[in-house]
């Protein structure tokens, strides 16, 4: 009863979404501080609702995360907010529907907000917040989906029989690291890179000469600067002078 849901009509053809879903909402509350959470759901033909990605915004932090930037709400005053969900890549199949769910609390996925104006961790004065999402011009709340109309620049490439015999990854999907096994039929120079769904190289694992036979490479989900990458779909490319192979990897944080 405390979730505001919107469901699309059944899709007549697959809809491909890649990137960050954004919620641009106009909201108000009777509390000085509260949360607004956003969920993107895939509704199957049999009625099952599967979570794709979600996020949340705390009102006191909407202008920054320092004490000086605290921005408490004035009762009943409408303010614009943005909620950016973690990047995702999914195809909503034909016959499915897309659901957007807006609520205040999303516990225990996210910390409970006591809805007061006290210190962040002070829960001595909890209160119920009555929140409102506004619609219609000039306060037109909306959700932006990064829809991809064409194929991504990275496409699975068939095994080159003159160079490769097999390439597999395990575990896949993975959380901490994944191991890729491959077999070279001939010795030669090999370059191994990881690319994101936009075709950008995020990690170069190897650029060296290797002998024929079985080999193995480990990827820890980090980029070239040692930064942990976000959840999403990535491609590991194994390149030689004459051929290449791509392995689709799913990173789940």
């Amino acid at each position: 009863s405390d979730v505001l849901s919107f469901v699309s009509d059944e899709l007549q053809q697959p809809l491909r979404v890649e990137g960050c879903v954004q919620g641009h909402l106009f909201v108000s509350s009777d509390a000085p501080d509260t949360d607004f959470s956003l969920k993107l759901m895939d509704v199957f033909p049999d009625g099952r609702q599967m979570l794709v990605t979600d996020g949340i915004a705390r009102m006191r932090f909407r202008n920054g995360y320092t004490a000086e930037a605290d921005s408490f709400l004035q009762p009943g005053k409408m303010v614009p907010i943005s909620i950016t969900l973690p990047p995702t890549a999914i195809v909503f199949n034909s016959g499915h529907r897309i659901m957007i769910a807006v609520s205040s609390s999303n516990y225990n996925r996210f910390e409970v907000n006591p809805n007061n104006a006290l210190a962040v961790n002070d829960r001595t004065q909890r209160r119920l917040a009555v929140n409102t999402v506004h619609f219609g011009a000039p306060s037109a709340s909306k959700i932006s989906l990064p829809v991809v109309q064409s194929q991504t620049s990275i496409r699975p490439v068939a095994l080159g029989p003159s160079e490769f015999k097999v390439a597999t990854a395990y575990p896949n999907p993975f959380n901490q690291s994944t191991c890729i096994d491959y077999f070279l039929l001939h010795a030669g120079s090999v370059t191994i890179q990881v690319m994101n769904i936009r075709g950008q190289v995020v990690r170069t694992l190897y650029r060296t000469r290797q002998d024929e036979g079985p080999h193995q490479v480990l990827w820890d989900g980090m980029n070239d600067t040692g930064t942990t990458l976000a959840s999403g779909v990535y491609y590991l490319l194994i390149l030689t002078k004459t051929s290449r192979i791509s392995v689709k990897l799913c990173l789940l944080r």
Side-chain angles (χ1 to χ4, degrees), residues 182-238:
Y182 59 99
F183 192 101
L184 292 179
L185 295 180
H186 304 285
S189 297
V190 177
T191 298
I192 302 179
Q193 298 175 321
V194 179
M195 303 179 72
N196 60 23
I197 59 175
R198 294 174 179 166
Q200 301 166 323
V201 176
V202 296
R203 180 77 176 270
T204 298
L205 296 172
Y206 287 118
R207 186 178 280 118
T208 185
R209 180 180 176 82
Q210 292 185 331
D211 296 329
E212 65 177 88
H215 296 273
Q216 190 177 80
V217 60
L218 183 73
W219 182 43
D220 57 7
M222 295 185 180
N223 62 16
D224 281 327
T225 64
T227 302
T228 301
L229 293 172
S231 298
V233 174
Y234 297 87
Y235 290 85
L236 183 126
L237 302 182
I238 306 175

Side-chain angles (χ1 to χ4, degrees), residues 235-253:
Y235 290 85
L236 183 126
L237 302 182
I238 306 175
L239 311 170
T240 69
K241 289 183 178 180
T242 60
S243 56
R244 72 174 186 172
I245 183 175
S246 68
V247 181
K248 184 178 179 180
L249 304 173
C250 295
L251 175 59
L252 300 177
R253 293 298 186 189

Side-chain angles (χ1 to χ4, degrees), residues 53-103:
T53 184
D54 61 353
I56 198 166
R58 182 153 293 191
M59 295 300 94
R60 71 190 297 165
F61 297 140
R62 68 186 185 278
N63 295 321
Y65 292 93
T66 64
E68 295 74 16
D70 274 358
S71 300
F72 293 106
L73 299 173
Q74 298 180 24
K77 182 178 180 179
M78 183 176 64
V79 297
I81 65 169
S82 294
I83 306 175
T84 301
L85 305 189
T88 190
I90 186 174
V91 174
F92 293 95
N93 213 345
S94 55
H96 289 226
R97 294 180 293 162
I98 299 173
M99 173 183 282
I100 295 293
V102 182
S103 63

Side-chain angles (χ1 to χ4, degrees), residues 29-183:
S29 176
D30 67 347
D33 185 31
T34 190
D35 293 343
F36 283 88
S37 71
L38 181 65
K39 292 181 181 179
L40 175 66
M41 314 281 288
D42 185 358
V43 182
F44 283 62
D46 62 6
R48 285 177 297 153
Q49 300 174 4
M50 306 297 290
L51 176 66
V52 177
T53 184
D54 61 353
I56 198 166
R58 182 153 293 191
M59 295 300 94
R60 71 190 297 165
F61 297 140
R62 68 186 185 278
N63 295 321
Y65 292 93
T66 64
E68 295 74 16
D70 274 358
S71 300
F72 293 106
L73 299 173
Q74 298 180 24
K77 182 178 180 179
M78 183 176 64
V79 297
I81 65 169
S82 294
I83 306 175
T84 301
L85 305 189
T88 190
I90 186 174
V91 174
F92 293 95
N93 213 345
S94 55
H96 289 226
R97 294 180 293 162
I98 299 173
M99 173 183 282
I100 295 293
V102 182
S103 63
S104 182
S105 175
N106 189 6
Y107 181 80
N108 56 5
R109 176 80 166 89
F110 297 99
E111 180 185 37
V112 172
N113 191 333
N115 301 323
N116 59 40
L118 304 178
V120 174
N121 295 318
D122 191 336
R123 293 175 173 78
T124 59
Q125 299 180 28
R126 300 185 184 186
R127 57 171 294 176
L128 179 69
V130 179
N131 298 336
T132 303
V133 178
H134 298 266
F135 301 93
S139 54
S141 296
K142 65 178 182 179
I143 306 296
S144 298
L145 293 179
V147 174
V148 178
Q149 300 292 347
S150 59
Q151 293 292 324
T152 180
S153 58
I154 302 174
R155 299 179 183 177
V157 178
L159 300 181
S162 62
E163 297 288 344
F164 300 109
K165 187 175 181 181
V166 68
T168 57
Y170 60 91
N172 191 23
F174 71 101
N175 176 261
Q176 297 295 329
S177 63
T178 185
C179 186
I180 299 91
D181 288 332
Y182 59 99
F183 192 101

Side-chain angles (χ1 to χ4, degrees), residues 8-15 92-98:
S8 73
D9 294 332
E10 287 189 3
L11 297 175
Q12 300 304 307
Q13 58 185 4
L15 183 70
F92 293 95
N93 213 345
S94 55
H96 289 226
R97 294 180 293 162
I98 299 173

